[in-house]
Amino acid sequence: MPELPEVTTTVNGLNKVLKNLTIKDVWSDYFLRTKNKRKDTIKNKKYFEKFRKEISGEKFKNAERRGKNILIHLTDGKTILVHMKMTGHLLYGKYSWNGKKWQSYEPLLKDSFNQFIHLIFTLSNGEHLAFSDMRKFAKVVLFETKYREKLIDLAGLGPEPLQNLSLETFTKQLHKKPDGKIKTVLMDQSIIAGIGNIYSDEILWEAGIHPERKPKTLKKDEIMKMWKATKKILNNSIKMGGDSMSDYRNIYGEKGNYQNAHKVYRRTNEKCLKKSCDGIIIRKIIGGRSGHFCNTHQK
Ligand SMILES: [Zn+2]
């Protein structure tokens, strides 16, 4: 699932290409292809029809990230929220409808992971903003920007780790779940926003903390190491264009590179890469997710 660095990469891309473009039309087949037809998302036909009517003719202002959500602000005071969930990603380029599906002739957009188009915006410059989502778990809704604090998807989110998050606030947030497992706590969006399975593994490896430690047992210097590792790892991944070990692609359909920098995630049975550590990486289910760690230097 795209996490903070991948969502940031997408948002930075959107801000480069969408400014001042108008939405000419919107197409989706989510409501034909998903069973979950919740009334408050575009997976519902009526909702989609209203969505289409309300945003057609509107102009893009800018895009923003909050947690793992993409917020696309329009000039009429409305905002489109996109949560990419497991396999969703936005793509920018020229597409045409061949009578069966949306096709692009640009080589990168022909990558198989970019072929699952379930939502597409036709833009005023003749290009398209397409949304590829193999497993169709993504969430897309429209809301009035001024009510963002009330929106359920945003209201309960914890602080942003890269926006002046102090050590004090980081510590206070972790202590909200004193008896949780630290990996699960780091992934809890109400504690810190934007961290998921990959980055929680990498942060804990870097900080030398066992993923099953309880926050109440963490010493000050251990929390400090985690706080520093959080900023370092998320920033490094953004610099590398995010992680494409799974489906993630940037708006041009290109892979990021962070999968080549993993120290621990999906390195099960390989030698620990920490200097002077002779541990082996093990995999264990923690809070329903696969955790990867070195049980020699992660204590
Ligand atoms: Zn190790």
Short mmCIF file of all heavy atoms in Angstrom, two decimals, residues 55-118:
data_model
loop_
_atom_site.label_atom_id
_atom_site.label_comp_id
_atom_site.label_asym_id
_atom_site.label_seq_id
_atom_site.Cartn_x
_atom_site.Cartn_y
_atom_site.Cartn_z
N ILE A 55 -17.95 18.31 -10.69
CA ILE A 55 -16.55 18.70 -10.96
C ILE A 55 -16.27 18.98 -12.44
O ILE A 55 -15.24 19.57 -12.75
CB ILE A 55 -15.54 17.68 -10.41
CG1 ILE A 55 -15.63 16.35 -11.16
CG2 ILE A 55 -15.71 17.47 -8.91
CD1 ILE A 55 -14.47 15.44 -10.84
N SER A 56 -17.19 18.60 -13.33
CA SER A 56 -16.97 18.89 -14.75
C SER A 56 -16.98 20.40 -14.94
O SER A 56 -17.89 21.08 -14.46
CB SER A 56 -18.03 18.23 -15.62
OG SER A 56 -17.90 16.83 -15.52
N GLY A 57 -15.98 20.93 -15.62
CA GLY A 57 -15.89 22.37 -15.84
C GLY A 57 -15.09 23.09 -14.76
O GLY A 57 -14.78 24.26 -14.89
N GLU A 58 -14.75 22.38 -13.67
CA GLU A 58 -13.98 23.02 -12.59
C GLU A 58 -12.48 22.95 -12.87
O GLU A 58 -12.01 22.10 -13.60
CB GLU A 58 -14.29 22.35 -11.24
CG GLU A 58 -15.73 22.48 -10.81
CD GLU A 58 -16.20 23.93 -10.66
OE1 GLU A 58 -15.34 24.80 -10.43
OE2 GLU A 58 -17.41 24.17 -10.81
N LYS A 59 -11.77 23.87 -12.22
CA LYS A 59 -10.33 24.01 -12.44
C LYS A 59 -9.54 23.45 -11.25
O LYS A 59 -9.97 23.58 -10.10
CB LYS A 59 -10.03 25.50 -12.57
CG LYS A 59 -9.01 25.83 -13.63
CD LYS A 59 -8.77 27.33 -13.68
CE LYS A 59 -8.96 27.85 -15.08
NZ LYS A 59 -8.58 29.27 -15.19
N PHE A 60 -8.37 22.88 -11.52
CA PHE A 60 -7.49 22.42 -10.45
C PHE A 60 -6.76 23.60 -9.82
O PHE A 60 -6.28 24.49 -10.52
CB PHE A 60 -6.42 21.46 -10.99
CG PHE A 60 -6.96 20.14 -11.42
CD1 PHE A 60 -7.04 19.81 -12.76
CD2 PHE A 60 -7.37 19.21 -10.47
CE1 PHE A 60 -7.53 18.57 -13.16
CE2 PHE A 60 -7.86 17.97 -10.87
CZ PHE A 60 -7.95 17.65 -12.21
N LYS A 61 -6.66 23.57 -8.50
CA LYS A 61 -5.91 24.60 -7.79
C LYS A 61 -4.56 24.01 -7.40
O LYS A 61 -3.54 24.38 -7.93
CB LYS A 61 -6.72 24.98 -6.55
CG LYS A 61 -6.42 26.34 -6.01
CD LYS A 61 -7.55 26.73 -5.04
CE LYS A 61 -7.03 27.33 -3.78
NZ LYS A 61 -8.07 27.40 -2.75
N ASN A 62 -4.56 23.06 -6.49
CA ASN A 62 -3.32 22.39 -6.09
C ASN A 62 -3.66 21.06 -5.41
O ASN A 62 -4.81 20.80 -5.09
CB ASN A 62 -2.52 23.27 -5.13
CG ASN A 62 -3.21 23.46 -3.80
OD1 ASN A 62 -4.37 23.84 -3.76
ND2 ASN A 62 -2.54 23.17 -2.72
N ALA A 63 -2.61 20.27 -5.19
CA ALA A 63 -2.79 18.99 -4.50
C ALA A 63 -1.99 19.01 -3.21
O ALA A 63 -1.01 19.74 -3.08
CB ALA A 63 -2.34 17.85 -5.39
N GLU A 64 -2.46 18.22 -2.26
CA GLU A 64 -1.86 18.20 -0.93
C GLU A 64 -1.92 16.77 -0.40
O GLU A 64 -2.81 16.02 -0.78
CB GLU A 64 -2.73 19.13 -0.06
CG GLU A 64 -2.30 19.32 1.34
CD GLU A 64 -3.40 19.99 2.20
OE1 GLU A 64 -4.35 20.60 1.65
OE2 GLU A 64 -3.29 19.88 3.42
N ARG A 65 -0.99 16.41 0.49
CA ARG A 65 -1.07 15.10 1.13
C ARG A 65 -1.43 15.27 2.60
O ARG A 65 -0.96 16.19 3.25
CB ARG A 65 0.29 14.38 1.05
CG ARG A 65 0.28 12.99 1.67
CD ARG A 65 1.68 12.42 1.80
NE ARG A 65 2.53 13.28 2.59
CZ ARG A 65 2.46 13.39 3.92
NH1 ARG A 65 1.58 12.68 4.62
NH2 ARG A 65 3.25 14.22 4.56
N ARG A 66 -2.30 14.42 3.10
CA ARG A 66 -2.56 14.36 4.54
C ARG A 66 -2.62 12.88 4.90
O ARG A 66 -3.52 12.16 4.43
CB ARG A 66 -3.87 15.08 4.89
CG ARG A 66 -4.23 15.01 6.35
CD ARG A 66 -3.30 15.89 7.23
NE ARG A 66 -3.73 15.83 8.62
CZ ARG A 66 -3.10 15.14 9.58
NH1 ARG A 66 -1.99 14.46 9.32
NH2 ARG A 66 -3.56 15.13 10.81
N GLY A 67 -1.64 12.41 5.70
CA GLY A 67 -1.54 10.98 5.96
C GLY A 67 -1.31 10.27 4.64
O GLY A 67 -0.45 10.66 3.86
N LYS A 68 -2.11 9.25 4.37
CA LYS A 68 -1.98 8.54 3.09
C LYS A 68 -3.02 9.03 2.08
O LYS A 68 -3.26 8.37 1.06
CB LYS A 68 -2.14 7.03 3.33
CG LYS A 68 -1.07 6.44 4.23
CD LYS A 68 -1.31 4.94 4.41
CE LYS A 68 -0.47 4.37 5.54
NZ LYS A 68 -0.87 2.99 5.88
N ASN A 69 -3.68 10.14 2.38
CA ASN A 69 -4.71 10.67 1.49
C ASN A 69 -4.15 11.73 0.56
O ASN A 69 -3.35 12.57 0.97
CB ASN A 69 -5.84 11.34 2.29
CG ASN A 69 -6.53 10.35 3.21
OD1 ASN A 69 -7.36 9.57 2.78
ND2 ASN A 69 -6.18 10.38 4.50
N ILE A 70 -4.64 11.72 -0.69
CA ILE A 70 -4.33 12.80 -1.64
C ILE A 70 -5.54 13.72 -1.65
O ILE A 70 -6.67 13.26 -1.82
CB ILE A 70 -4.14 12.23 -3.06
CG1 ILE A 70 -2.97 11.28 -3.10
CG2 ILE A 70 -3.96 13.37 -4.08
CD1 ILE A 70 -2.89 10.49 -4.40
N LEU A 71 -5.29 15.01 -1.46
CA LEU A 71 -6.37 15.99 -1.52
C LEU A 71 -6.14 16.85 -2.76
O LEU A 71 -5.10 17.51 -2.86
CB LEU A 71 -6.38 16.86 -0.27
CG LEU A 71 -6.45 16.10 1.06
CD1 LEU A 71 -6.36 17.07 2.24
CD2 LEU A 71 -7.74 15.30 1.14
N ILE A 72 -7.07 16.80 -3.70
CA ILE A 72 -6.94 17.61 -4.91
C ILE A 72 -7.93 18.75 -4.80
O ILE A 72 -9.15 18.54 -4.87
CB ILE A 72 -7.20 16.76 -6.18
CG1 ILE A 72 -6.23 15.56 -6.23
CG2 ILE A 72 -7.06 17.63 -7.44
CD1 ILE A 72 -6.54 14.57 -7.34
N HIS A 73 -7.41 19.96 -4.58
CA HIS A 73 -8.28 21.11 -4.37
C HIS A 73 -8.66 21.74 -5.71
O HIS A 73 -7.82 21.94 -6.57
CB HIS A 73 -7.58 22.15 -3.50
CG HIS A 73 -7.17 21.62 -2.16
ND1 HIS A 73 -8.07 21.06 -1.26
CD2 HIS A 73 -5.96 21.53 -1.56
CE1 HIS A 73 -7.43 20.67 -0.17
NE2 HIS A 73 -6.14 20.94 -0.33
N LEU A 74 -9.96 22.05 -5.83
CA LEU A 74 -10.48 22.70 -7.04
C LEU A 74 -10.79 24.16 -6.71
O LEU A 74 -10.96 24.51 -5.54
CB LEU A 74 -11.74 21.97 -7.52
CG LEU A 74 -11.59 20.46 -7.73
CD1 LEU A 74 -12.94 19.83 -8.11
CD2 LEU A 74 -10.55 20.15 -8.82
N THR A 75 -10.89 24.98 -7.76
CA THR A 75 -11.05 26.42 -7.48
C THR A 75 -12.44 26.81 -6.97
O THR A 75 -12.64 27.91 -6.52
CB THR A 75 -10.72 27.26 -8.74
OG1 THR A 75 -11.43 26.71 -9.84
CG2 THR A 75 -9.24 27.25 -9.05
N ASP A 76 -13.41 25.89 -7.03
CA ASP A 76 -14.76 26.27 -6.58
C ASP A 76 -15.00 25.92 -5.11
O ASP A 76 -16.15 25.84 -4.69
CB ASP A 76 -15.81 25.57 -7.45
CG ASP A 76 -15.85 24.08 -7.20
OD1 ASP A 76 -14.82 23.54 -6.73
OD2 ASP A 76 -16.88 23.45 -7.44
N GLY A 77 -13.92 25.70 -4.35
CA GLY A 77 -14.10 25.40 -2.93
C GLY A 77 -14.40 23.94 -2.65
O GLY A 77 -14.81 23.59 -1.54
N LYS A 78 -14.19 23.09 -3.65
CA LYS A 78 -14.38 21.65 -3.41
C LYS A 78 -13.04 20.93 -3.50
O LYS A 78 -12.09 21.42 -4.12
CB LYS A 78 -15.35 21.08 -4.43
CG LYS A 78 -16.76 21.59 -4.24
CD LYS A 78 -17.77 20.66 -4.89
CE LYS A 78 -19.19 21.12 -4.60
NZ LYS A 78 -19.61 22.24 -5.46
N THR A 79 -12.99 19.77 -2.87
CA THR A 79 -11.77 18.97 -2.84
C THR A 79 -12.10 17.51 -3.15
O THR A 79 -13.08 16.97 -2.63
CB THR A 79 -11.12 19.06 -1.44
OG1 THR A 79 -10.73 20.42 -1.20
CG2 THR A 79 -9.89 18.17 -1.33
N ILE A 80 -11.29 16.92 -4.01
CA ILE A 80 -11.41 15.48 -4.28
C ILE A 80 -10.41 14.77 -3.38
O ILE A 80 -9.22 15.10 -3.39
CB ILE A 80 -11.08 15.15 -5.77
CG1 ILE A 80 -12.00 15.93 -6.72
CG2 ILE A 80 -11.18 13.65 -6.02
CD1 ILE A 80 -11.53 15.89 -8.18
N LEU A 81 -10.90 13.81 -2.59
CA LEU A 81 -10.00 13.02 -1.76
C LEU A 81 -9.80 11.67 -2.44
O LEU A 81 -10.77 11.01 -2.83
CB LEU A 81 -10.61 12.82 -0.37
CG LEU A 81 -9.81 11.93 0.61
CD1 LEU A 81 -9.97 12.46 2.04
CD2 LEU A 81 -10.25 10.47 0.56
N VAL A 82 -8.55 11.27 -2.59
CA VAL A 82 -8.22 9.95 -3.15
C VAL A 82 -7.37 9.21 -2.13
O VAL A 82 -6.31 9.70 -1.74
CB VAL A 82 -7.43 10.07 -4.47
CG1 VAL A 82 -7.08 8.69 -5.02
CG2 VAL A 82 -8.20 10.88 -5.52
N HIS A 83 -7.85 8.05 -1.68
CA HIS A 83 -7.02 7.16 -0.86
C HIS A 83 -6.70 5.97 -1.74
O HIS A 83 -7.59 5.23 -2.15
CB HIS A 83 -7.75 6.74 0.41
CG HIS A 83 -6.82 6.10 1.41
ND1 HIS A 83 -6.03 5.01 1.09
CD2 HIS A 83 -6.51 6.42 2.69
CE1 HIS A 83 -5.30 4.69 2.15
NE2 HIS A 83 -5.57 5.53 3.13
N MET A 84 -5.42 5.79 -2.06
CA MET A 84 -5.03 4.78 -3.05
C MET A 84 -5.17 3.34 -2.54
O MET A 84 -5.13 2.41 -3.33
CB MET A 84 -3.61 5.06 -3.52
CG MET A 84 -3.42 6.51 -3.99
SD MET A 84 -1.97 6.77 -5.02
CE MET A 84 -0.75 7.23 -3.80
N LYS A 85 -5.30 3.19 -1.21
CA LYS A 85 -5.43 1.86 -0.58
C LYS A 85 -4.35 0.91 -1.06
O LYS A 85 -3.19 1.29 -1.09
CB LYS A 85 -6.83 1.30 -0.79
CG LYS A 85 -7.92 2.19 -0.22
CD LYS A 85 -8.10 2.04 1.27
CE LYS A 85 -9.22 2.96 1.75
NZ LYS A 85 -9.41 2.94 3.19
N MET A 86 -4.71 -0.33 -1.46
CA MET A 86 -3.69 -1.34 -1.75
C MET A 86 -2.91 -1.09 -3.05
O MET A 86 -1.70 -1.16 -3.09
CB MET A 86 -4.34 -2.73 -1.85
CG MET A 86 -4.94 -3.23 -0.56
SD MET A 86 -3.70 -3.51 0.70
CE MET A 86 -2.96 -5.02 0.08
N THR A 87 -3.63 -0.87 -4.13
CA THR A 87 -2.97 -0.92 -5.45
C THR A 87 -3.26 0.29 -6.33
O THR A 87 -2.96 0.26 -7.51
CB THR A 87 -3.43 -2.18 -6.22
OG1 THR A 87 -4.87 -2.12 -6.32
CG2 THR A 87 -3.02 -3.46 -5.55
N GLY A 88 -3.85 1.34 -5.77
CA GLY A 88 -4.22 2.48 -6.60
C GLY A 88 -3.06 3.43 -6.85
O GLY A 88 -2.20 3.60 -6.00
N HIS A 89 -3.01 4.02 -8.05
CA HIS A 89 -2.09 5.13 -8.29
C HIS A 89 -2.57 5.96 -9.46
O HIS A 89 -3.14 5.46 -10.41
CB HIS A 89 -0.64 4.66 -8.48
CG HIS A 89 -0.45 3.62 -9.53
ND1 HIS A 89 -0.57 2.28 -9.26
CD2 HIS A 89 -0.16 3.71 -10.84
CE1 HIS A 89 -0.36 1.59 -10.36
NE2 HIS A 89 -0.12 2.42 -11.36
N LEU A 90 -2.32 7.27 -9.37
CA LEU A 90 -2.75 8.21 -10.40
C LEU A 90 -1.69 8.32 -11.49
O LEU A 90 -0.49 8.31 -11.20
CB LEU A 90 -3.00 9.58 -9.78
CG LEU A 90 -4.29 9.70 -8.96
CD1 LEU A 90 -4.21 10.88 -7.99
CD2 LEU A 90 -5.52 9.84 -9.87
N LEU A 91 -2.15 8.43 -12.73
CA LEU A 91 -1.25 8.49 -13.89
C LEU A 91 -1.65 9.67 -14.77
O LEU A 91 -2.83 9.98 -14.91
CB LEU A 91 -1.38 7.19 -14.71
CG LEU A 91 -0.97 5.92 -13.98
CD1 LEU A 91 -1.53 4.70 -14.69
CD2 LEU A 91 0.55 5.83 -13.85
N TYR A 92 -0.65 10.29 -15.38
CA TYR A 92 -0.92 11.45 -16.22
C TYR A 92 -0.40 11.15 -17.63
O TYR A 92 0.77 10.76 -17.80
CB TYR A 92 -0.20 12.66 -15.64
CG TYR A 92 -0.33 13.92 -16.46
CD1 TYR A 92 -1.47 14.70 -16.38
CD2 TYR A 92 0.71 14.33 -17.30
CE1 TYR A 92 -1.59 15.86 -17.12
CE2 TYR A 92 0.60 15.50 -18.04
CZ TYR A 92 -0.55 16.26 -17.95
OH TYR A 92 -0.67 17.41 -18.67
N GLY A 93 -1.25 11.34 -18.62
CA GLY A 93 -0.81 11.10 -20.00
C GLY A 93 -1.98 11.10 -20.95
O GLY A 93 -3.11 11.46 -20.58
N LYS A 94 -1.71 10.70 -22.19
CA LYS A 94 -2.76 10.70 -23.20
C LYS A 94 -3.37 9.32 -23.31
O LYS A 94 -2.66 8.33 -23.45
CB LYS A 94 -2.15 11.12 -24.55
CG LYS A 94 -3.08 12.03 -25.37
CD LYS A 94 -2.42 12.47 -26.66
CE LYS A 94 -1.61 13.73 -26.60
NZ LYS A 94 -2.19 14.94 -26.13
N TYR A 95 -4.68 9.27 -23.22
CA TYR A 95 -5.40 8.00 -23.32
C TYR A 95 -6.48 8.11 -24.38
O TYR A 95 -6.96 9.19 -24.69
CB TYR A 95 -6.07 7.67 -21.98
CG TYR A 95 -5.12 7.21 -20.90
CD1 TYR A 95 -4.41 8.13 -20.15
CD2 TYR A 95 -4.95 5.85 -20.62
CE1 TYR A 95 -3.53 7.70 -19.15
CE2 TYR A 95 -4.09 5.42 -19.63
CZ TYR A 95 -3.37 6.35 -18.90
OH TYR A 95 -2.51 5.93 -17.92
N SER A 96 -6.89 6.94 -24.92
CA SER A 96 -8.08 6.94 -25.77
C SER A 96 -8.91 5.70 -25.45
O SER A 96 -8.39 4.69 -24.95
CB SER A 96 -7.69 6.98 -27.24
OG SER A 96 -6.93 5.84 -27.56
N TRP A 97 -10.18 5.80 -25.71
CA TRP A 97 -11.12 4.70 -25.43
C TRP A 97 -11.22 3.84 -26.68
O TRP A 97 -11.52 4.35 -27.76
CB TRP A 97 -12.48 5.30 -25.06
CG TRP A 97 -13.57 4.31 -24.85
CD1 TRP A 97 -14.60 4.02 -25.69
CD2 TRP A 97 -13.76 3.48 -23.70
NE1 TRP A 97 -15.41 3.06 -25.16
CE2 TRP A 97 -14.92 2.70 -23.94
CE3 TRP A 97 -13.04 3.30 -22.49
CZ2 TRP A 97 -15.39 1.77 -23.00
CZ3 TRP A 97 -13.52 2.38 -21.58
CH2 TRP A 97 -14.68 1.62 -21.84
N ASN A 98 -10.93 2.56 -26.56
CA ASN A 98 -10.93 1.72 -27.77
C ASN A 98 -12.23 0.94 -27.94
O ASN A 98 -12.30 -0.01 -28.71
CB ASN A 98 -9.71 0.80 -27.79
CG ASN A 98 -9.83 -0.36 -26.80
OD1 ASN A 98 -10.81 -0.46 -26.07
ND2 ASN A 98 -8.84 -1.22 -26.78
N GLY A 99 -13.26 1.35 -27.18
CA GLY A 99 -14.54 0.64 -27.27
C GLY A 99 -14.71 -0.37 -26.15
O GLY A 99 -15.82 -0.75 -25.80
N LYS A 100 -13.57 -0.78 -25.55
CA LYS A 100 -13.60 -1.74 -24.44
C LYS A 100 -12.90 -1.18 -23.21
O LYS A 100 -13.33 -1.39 -22.08
CB LYS A 100 -12.89 -3.04 -24.84
CG LYS A 100 -13.78 -3.98 -25.63
CD LYS A 100 -13.03 -5.27 -25.89
CE LYS A 100 -13.84 -6.18 -26.80
NZ LYS A 100 -13.00 -7.14 -27.50
N LYS A 101 -11.78 -0.52 -23.44
CA LYS A 101 -11.02 0.01 -22.30
C LYS A 101 -10.20 1.23 -22.70
O LYS A 101 -10.05 1.53 -23.89
CB LYS A 101 -10.10 -1.07 -21.71
CG LYS A 101 -9.11 -1.67 -22.71
CD LYS A 101 -8.31 -2.77 -22.05
CE LYS A 101 -6.89 -2.29 -21.84
NZ LYS A 101 -5.99 -3.19 -21.22
N TRP A 102 -9.67 1.92 -21.67
CA TRP A 102 -8.81 3.08 -21.89
C TRP A 102 -7.40 2.59 -22.20
O TRP A 102 -6.86 1.76 -21.49
CB TRP A 102 -8.81 4.00 -20.67
CG TRP A 102 -10.11 4.70 -20.50
CD1 TRP A 102 -11.16 4.28 -19.75
CD2 TRP A 102 -10.51 5.92 -21.14
NE1 TRP A 102 -12.21 5.16 -19.86
CE2 TRP A 102 -11.83 6.18 -20.71
CE3 TRP A 102 -9.90 6.82 -22.01
CZ2 TRP A 102 -12.55 7.30 -21.12
CZ3 TRP A 102 -10.60 7.94 -22.42
CH2 TRP A 102 -11.91 8.17 -21.98
N GLN A 103 -6.84 3.15 -23.26
CA GLN A 103 -5.52 2.71 -23.70
C GLN A 103 -4.58 3.89 -23.80
O GLN A 103 -4.98 4.97 -24.22
CB GLN A 103 -5.63 2.15 -25.12
CG GLN A 103 -5.79 0.65 -25.15
CD GLN A 103 -5.63 0.12 -26.55
OE1 GLN A 103 -6.20 0.70 -27.48
NE2 GLN A 103 -4.88 -0.94 -26.69
N SER A 104 -3.33 3.65 -23.45
CA SER A 104 -2.33 4.68 -23.68
C SER A 104 -1.24 4.08 -24.55
O SER A 104 -0.96 2.88 -24.45
CB SER A 104 -1.74 5.16 -22.36
OG SER A 104 -0.73 6.09 -22.66
N TYR A 105 -0.64 4.90 -25.38
CA TYR A 105 0.40 4.39 -26.26
C TYR A 105 1.78 4.76 -25.75
O TYR A 105 2.79 4.45 -26.35
CB TYR A 105 0.16 4.90 -27.70
CG TYR A 105 -1.17 4.36 -28.18
CD1 TYR A 105 -2.33 5.12 -28.06
CD2 TYR A 105 -1.26 3.06 -28.68
CE1 TYR A 105 -3.56 4.60 -28.43
CE2 TYR A 105 -2.49 2.54 -29.05
CZ TYR A 105 -3.64 3.31 -28.92
OH TYR A 105 -4.84 2.79 -29.28
N GLU A 106 1.81 5.46 -24.60
CA GLU A 106 3.10 5.83 -24.03
C GLU A 106 3.67 4.58 -23.35
O GLU A 106 2.98 3.92 -22.57
CB GLU A 106 2.91 6.97 -23.04
CG GLU A 106 2.51 8.26 -23.77
CD GLU A 106 2.00 9.34 -22.85
OE1 GLU A 106 2.63 9.57 -21.82
OE2 GLU A 106 0.97 9.97 -23.17
N PRO A 107 4.95 4.26 -23.64
CA PRO A 107 5.52 2.99 -23.19
C PRO A 107 5.36 2.73 -21.69
O PRO A 107 4.97 1.63 -21.28
CB PRO A 107 6.99 3.09 -23.57
CG PRO A 107 7.08 4.14 -24.61
CD PRO A 107 5.90 5.04 -24.45
N LEU A 108 5.63 3.75 -20.85
CA LEU A 108 5.56 3.52 -19.40
C LEU A 108 4.14 3.24 -18.94
O LEU A 108 3.91 2.47 -18.01
CB LEU A 108 6.12 4.72 -18.64
CG LEU A 108 7.64 4.82 -18.61
CD1 LEU A 108 8.06 6.16 -18.04
CD2 LEU A 108 8.23 3.69 -17.77
N LEU A 109 3.19 3.89 -19.60
CA LEU A 109 1.80 3.69 -19.17
C LEU A 109 1.27 2.32 -19.62
O LEU A 109 0.22 1.89 -19.18
CB LEU A 109 0.92 4.84 -19.69
CG LEU A 109 1.30 6.22 -19.16
CD1 LEU A 109 0.45 7.30 -19.79
CD2 LEU A 109 1.17 6.29 -17.64
N LYS A 110 2.05 1.65 -20.47
CA LYS A 110 1.65 0.31 -20.90
C LYS A 110 2.13 -0.78 -19.93
O LYS A 110 1.77 -1.95 -20.07
CB LYS A 110 2.19 0.03 -22.31
CG LYS A 110 1.42 0.79 -23.39
CD LYS A 110 2.09 0.65 -24.75
CE LYS A 110 1.76 -0.66 -25.45
NZ LYS A 110 0.39 -0.68 -25.99
N ASP A 111 2.95 -0.40 -18.95
CA ASP A 111 3.36 -1.31 -17.86
C ASP A 111 2.08 -1.98 -17.31
O ASP A 111 1.08 -1.31 -17.11
CB ASP A 111 4.03 -0.41 -16.79
CG ASP A 111 4.36 -1.11 -15.47
OD1 ASP A 111 3.78 -2.17 -15.17
OD2 ASP A 111 5.19 -0.55 -14.73
N SER A 112 2.14 -3.29 -17.08
CA SER A 112 0.89 -4.00 -16.72
C SER A 112 0.23 -3.44 -15.46
O SER A 112 -0.98 -3.44 -15.34
CB SER A 112 1.15 -5.49 -16.59
OG SER A 112 2.05 -5.70 -15.54
N PHE A 113 1.05 -2.94 -14.52
CA PHE A 113 0.47 -2.40 -13.28
C PHE A 113 -0.31 -1.10 -13.53
O PHE A 113 -1.05 -0.64 -12.68
CB PHE A 113 1.56 -2.14 -12.23
CG PHE A 113 2.05 -3.39 -11.58
CD1 PHE A 113 3.33 -3.86 -11.82
CD2 PHE A 113 1.21 -4.11 -10.73
CE1 PHE A 113 3.77 -5.03 -11.22
CE2 PHE A 113 1.64 -5.29 -10.13
CZ PHE A 113 2.93 -5.75 -10.38
N ASN A 114 -0.11 -0.51 -14.71
CA ASN A 114 -0.78 0.76 -15.03
C ASN A 114 -2.01 0.57 -15.91
O ASN A 114 -2.56 1.53 -16.43
CB ASN A 114 0.22 1.70 -15.72
CG ASN A 114 1.37 2.09 -14.81
OD1 ASN A 114 1.19 2.12 -13.60
ND2 ASN A 114 2.53 2.34 -15.39
N GLN A 115 -2.43 -0.66 -16.08
CA GLN A 115 -3.49 -0.97 -17.04
C GLN A 115 -4.90 -1.09 -16.43
O GLN A 115 -5.84 -1.36 -17.14
CB GLN A 115 -3.18 -2.29 -17.75
CG GLN A 115 -1.90 -2.26 -18.59
CD GLN A 115 -2.08 -1.46 -19.86
OE1 GLN A 115 -3.02 -1.66 -20.60
NE2 GLN A 115 -1.17 -0.54 -20.09
N PHE A 116 -5.00 -0.93 -15.12
CA PHE A 116 -6.30 -1.18 -14.48
C PHE A 116 -7.04 0.13 -14.24
O PHE A 116 -7.25 0.57 -13.11
CB PHE A 116 -6.09 -1.94 -13.16
CG PHE A 116 -5.38 -3.25 -13.36
CD1 PHE A 116 -4.00 -3.33 -13.28
CD2 PHE A 116 -6.10 -4.41 -13.65
CE1 PHE A 116 -3.33 -4.52 -13.48
CE2 PHE A 116 -5.45 -5.61 -13.85
CZ PHE A 116 -4.06 -5.67 -13.77
N ILE A 117 -7.44 0.77 -15.33
CA ILE A 117 -8.03 2.11 -15.24
C ILE A 117 -9.52 2.02 -14.87
O ILE A 117 -10.33 1.47 -15.63
CB ILE A 117 -7.89 2.87 -16.59
CG1 ILE A 117 -6.43 2.86 -17.08
CG2 ILE A 117 -8.44 4.30 -16.46
CD1 ILE A 117 -5.44 3.53 -16.16
N HIS A 118 -9.86 2.55 -13.69
CA HIS A 118 -11.26 2.53 -13.25
C HIS A 118 -11.84 3.93 -13.05
O HIS A 118 -13.00 4.08 -12.68
CB HIS A 118 -11.40 1.71 -11.97
CG HIS A 118 -11.10 0.26 -12.21
ND1 HIS A 118 -11.89 -0.54 -13.01
CD2 HIS A 118 -10.08 -0.51 -11.80
CE1 HIS A 118 -11.38 -1.76 -13.07
NE2 HIS A 118 -10.28 -1.77 -12.35
#
